[in-house]
């Protein structure tokens, strides 16, 4: 992607945080060590985001730009769908937390301090928070191959009425264990910080987050009947023995896990993680994404399954 070039007045798509927006190239320049403003050298482009104030115009390097074409527009929509699901889940959680806080304050004689009013805010408005209150930003380098898989995944489910066959092999649990062994096998050649100490915690955290996020954040509407059946079969159904329930990370695989990984920056932004923890997580997840590219032919399903007419009718009801 960095090899692509863009011209003045070209209509483009540009990453801003975890999402992609339409923009226009206003100026171009090539930065070197003597004049770089970001530490990155090479071609840079001054862009204006469509519908945004000029105060958001900025210089970006080629890695943040995409050609304005059908494939990249589909990627933009796929990321937006994941973002909207995450925002809905976050808003629901926030509402429940505030209700509990109000209940606790009332129980304590109403002596609690009134919290700041946090209504649902538009994406653009949210970026206009003061610099001093901005949370640490987690920037992921999603490989081009995985972006293509995200688009294919989105189209298969939302356009072609197809599903990932379950249970998946390897599962998310197995993928994470394989990645753990891969990193540890690198020994001192890895650039990751303290993998023997940090890796088990990060792996456990990603698995736990996947189990909690799947039903709320990661599914397209068309997949929900399948999810309900999976939970009935492995978690809540009468045939499931107590203590033998399975987490969703043991059922789902790389397709849904990738959706979670590209949604992490937004999740982290709404968390209480400090800057150092965000940087560590970023480095490990970027390494995980690179490993997934190497293993893509093995870990991603080659073909999605076409849903039956009966299933399609249920999903629309």
């Amino acid at each position: 992607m960095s090899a692509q070039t863009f011209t003045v007045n070209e209509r483009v798509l540009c990453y801003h945080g975890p999402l992609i927006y339409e923009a226009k190239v206003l100026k171009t320049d090539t930065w070197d060590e003597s004049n770089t403003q970001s530490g990155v050298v090479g071609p840079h482009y001054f862009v204006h985001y469509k519908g945004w104030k000029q105060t958001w115009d900025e210089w970006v390097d080629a890695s943040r730009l995409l050609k304005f074409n059908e494939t990249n527009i589909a990627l933009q929509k796929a990321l937006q769908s994941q973002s909207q699901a995450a925002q809905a889940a976050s808003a629901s959680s926030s509402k429940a937390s505030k209700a509990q806080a109000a209940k606790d304050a009332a129980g304590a004689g109403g002596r609690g301090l009134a919290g700041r009013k946090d209504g649902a805010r538009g994406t653009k408005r949210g970026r206009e928070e003061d610099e001093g209150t901005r949370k640490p930003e987690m920037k992921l380098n999603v490989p081009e191959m995985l972006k293509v898989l995200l688009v294919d995944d989105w189209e298969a489910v939302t356009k072609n009425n197809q599903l990932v066959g379950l249970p998946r092999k390897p599962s998310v649990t197995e993928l994470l264990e394989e990645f753990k062994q891969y990193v540890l096998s690198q020994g001192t050649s890895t650039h990751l910080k303290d993998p023997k100490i940090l890796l088990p915690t990060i792996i456990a955290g990603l698995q736990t987050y996947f189990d909690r996020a799947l039903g709320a954040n990661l599914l397209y509407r068309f997949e929900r009947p399948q999810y309900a059946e999976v939970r009935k079969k492995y978690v809540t159904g009468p045939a499931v023995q107590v203590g033998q329930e399975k987490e969703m990370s043991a059922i789902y695989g790389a397709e849904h896990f990738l959706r979670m990984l590209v949604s992490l920056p937004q999740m982290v932004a709404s968390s209480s993680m400090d800057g150092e923890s965000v940087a560590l997580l970023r480095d490990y997840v970027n390494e995980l994404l690179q490993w997934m590219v190497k293993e893509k032919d093995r870990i991603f399903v080659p073909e999605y399954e076409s849903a039956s007419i009966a299933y399609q009718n249920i999903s629309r009801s």
Side-chain angles (χ1 to χ4, degrees), residues 172-192:
V172 172
T173 302
E174 292 166 337
L175 288 176
L176 287 171
E177 179 60 29
E178 290 176 10
F179 173 68
K180 175 183 173 182
Q181 296 305 321
Y182 164 77
V183 172
L184 294 178
S185 72
Q186 301 299 303
T188 57
S189 63
T190 181
H191 67 281
L192 298 173

Side-chain angles (χ1 to χ4, degrees), residues 77-88:
K77 292 178 179 179
L79 294 178
Q80 185 65 38
S81 295
Q82 294 297 325
S83 173
Q84 289 171 347
Q87 287 181 348

Side-chain angles (χ1 to χ4, degrees), residues 10 69 77 98 104 129 148 183 198 221 231 264:
E10 183 175 352
N69 56 38
K77 292 178 179 179
K98 288 175 187 175
D104 292 344
E129 294 181 72
V148 172
V183 172
L198 298 176
R221 179 181 176 183
R231 290 205 32 100
L264 275 179

